C-alpha cells in the first residue's frame, strides 16, 4: 500500500477492504472467484496477516464474500445491485422483481433554494423550493440517501405524496405528472460523512458514489434536482448511452 494511502488517517484494513470492494463492484472479481489468501494480501499491501484478516471479515460482514473452511474466501456478490441510469431512470425498475425496495422520507421542508439549485430548477435564487431527504432500502439493506429539490409550483404536495407512496414516480403521478426524463447525471466518489455512514450502515471511511442529476418534464421543463449518495459496496451504476438520431 502506498504512503499516500496510509497518510489518509483511515485504518489500513479499511483501505484494503475498499479496494477489494471496488474490484467486486467493477467486475474484476466475479461471483464465485476466490480472493487472494491472507498472506498474499498481506504481501500485496505491505501489512500483517491480522490486518488482511480484518479486511476480509469486513467484506464478509457486508455479505460480499464468504469463507469456506479449507478452501479460502470467495465472492458471493449477493449484495451488489446494478442501477441503470438512462433517459427514464427508475431505481425500482433497475432492481427488477427479484428485490424488495422501499423508500422512507427522513425530512422535508419548503425553504429558499440555494443559488445552484435555483439555477437548475429555473427559478429565482432564494425562491421557495421543496427539499426532501429520503432513504432507499433494498431487501432491507440501506442502499441510497437522496436529497431532492422540487419547484413547488409543479409539485405543491410533493413531500406528502412521497410519504404516502414511498415512490417518486407514484408521487409525481398523484400530482398529475405521468412521465419525466433524465436530462443530466454527473457521478463522483468520496468518503461518506459520519451521518451518511450511520444512515447507510457503512463503516467509517467507506466510499459513497454521488450522483447529481436533473429530471425534467418531457417538454424540457426542469422538475427535480437530486443529489444521491449510494453505498458503493452495494451498487454498480450502469450509464446507458442513447444512440444519436439523424
Amino acid at each position: 500500500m502506498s504512503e499516500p494511502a496510509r497518510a489518509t488517517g483511515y485504518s489500513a484494513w479499511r483501505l484494503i477492504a475498499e479496494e477489494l470492494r471496488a474490484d467486486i463492484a467493477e467486475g474484476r472479481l466475479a461471483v464465485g472467484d476466490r480472493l487472494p489468501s491472507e498472506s498474499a494480501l498481506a504481501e500485496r499491501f505491505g501489512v500483517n496477516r491480522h490486518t488482511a484478516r480484518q479486511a476480509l471479515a469486513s467484506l464478509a460482514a457486508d455479505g460480499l464474500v464468504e469463507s469456506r473452511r479449507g478452501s479460502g474466501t470467495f465472492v458471493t456478490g449477493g449484495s451488489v445491485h446494478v442501477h441503470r441510469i438512462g433517459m427514464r431512470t427508475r431505481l425500482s425498475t433497475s432492481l427488477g422483481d427479484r428485490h424488495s425496495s422501499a423508500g422512507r422520507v427522513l425530512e422535508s421542508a419548503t425553504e429558499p433554494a440555494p443559488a445552484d439549485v435555483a439555477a437548475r430548477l429555473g427559478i429565482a435564487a432564494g425562491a421557495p423550493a421543496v427539499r426532501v431527504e429520503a432513504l432507499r432500502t433494498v431487501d432491507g439493506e440501506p442502499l441510497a440517501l437522496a436529497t431532492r429539490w422540487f419547484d413547488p409550483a409543479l409539485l405543491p404536495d410533493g413531500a406528502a405524496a412521497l410519504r404516502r407512496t414511498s415512490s417518486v414516480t407514484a408521487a409525481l403521478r398523484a400530482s398529475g405528472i405521468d412521465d419525466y426524463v433524465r436530462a443530466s447525471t454527473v457521478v463522483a466518489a468520496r468518503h461518506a460523512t459520519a451521518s451518511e455512514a450511520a444512515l447507510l450502515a457503512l463503516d467509517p471511511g467507506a466510499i459513497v458514489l454521488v450522483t447529481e442529476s436533473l429530471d425534467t418534464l418531457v417538454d424540457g421543463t426542469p422538475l427535480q434536482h437530486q443529489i444521491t449518495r449510494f453505498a458503493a459496496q452495494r451498487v454498480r451504476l450502469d450509464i446507458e448511452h442513447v444512440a444519436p438520431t439523424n
Side-chain angles (χ1 to χ4, degrees), residues 35-87:
L35 270 68
S37 66
E38 291 176 4
S39 57
L41 287 173
E43 181 177 354
R44 171 181 167 186
F45 290 100
V47 297
N48 58 45
R49 288 186 60 178
H50 176 71
T51 299
R53 188 176 305 124
Q54 282 184 290
L56 293 176
S58 174
L59 297 178
D62 291 332
L64 294 177
V65 303
E66 64 178 7
S67 178
R68 302 173 189 170
R69 185 180 297 274
S71 299
T73 302
F74 295 82
V75 177
T76 62
S79 297
V80 178
H81 307 284
V82 176
H83 175 36
R84 292 177 173 83
I85 298 175
M87 181 174 290

Side-chain angles (χ1 to χ4, degrees), residues 23-233:
D23 287 342
I24 294 170
E26 295 169 14
R28 290 186 291 274
L29 286 171
V31 174
D33 283 354
R34 179 178 175 176
L35 270 68
S37 66
E38 291 176 4
S39 57
L41 287 173
E43 181 177 354
R44 171 181 167 186
F45 290 100
V47 297
N48 58 45
R49 288 186 60 178
H50 176 71
T51 299
R53 188 176 305 124
Q54 282 184 290
L56 293 176
S58 174
L59 297 178
D62 291 332
L64 294 177
V65 303
E66 64 178 7
S67 178
R68 302 173 189 170
R69 185 180 297 274
S71 299
T73 302
F74 295 82
V75 177
T76 62
S79 297
V80 178
H81 307 284
V82 176
H83 175 36
R84 292 177 173 83
I85 298 175
M87 181 174 290
R88 284 176 172 80
T89 298
R90 314 288 190 264
L91 181 56
S92 57
T93 302
S94 286
L95 297 172
D97 297 332
R98 295 180 297 106
H99 301 285
S100 173
S101 175
R104 177 164 59 97
V105 173
L106 304 175
E107 179 187 351
S108 62
T110 299
E111 57 192 37
D116 61 329
V117 172
R120 299 276 278 176
L121 293 178
I123 61 178
V130 178
R131 177 179 58 82
V132 179
E133 306 287 343
L135 178 69
R136 173 67 59 173
T137 60
V138 177
D139 299 334
E141 190 172 48
L143 183 72
L145 183 64
T147 301
R148 308 176 187 275
W149 292 87
F150 299 95
D151 180 351
L154 292 175
L155 204 66
D157 192 34
L162 277 170
R163 291 183 190 279
R164 290 195 306 270
T165 64
S166 298
S167 163
V168 172
T169 301
L172 293 172
R173 189 172 292 122
S175 299
I177 298 173
D178 293 326
D179 194 14
Y180 63 100
V181 296
R182 176 61 54 88
S184 66
T185 303
V186 177
V187 183
R190 59 170 170 77
H191 292 286
T193 65
S195 61
E196 290 167 347
L199 287 167
L200 292 170
L202 300 172
D203 289 330
I207 299 298
V208 289
L209 299 177
V210 183
T211 63
E212 185 169 353
S213 59
L214 176 68
D215 292 330
T216 71
L217 302 180
V218 291
D219 66 2
T221 301
L223 172 66
Q224 173 187 207
H225 173 66
Q226 180 178 185
I227 300 174
T228 305
R229 288 82 79 199
F230 292 92
Q233 65 200 52

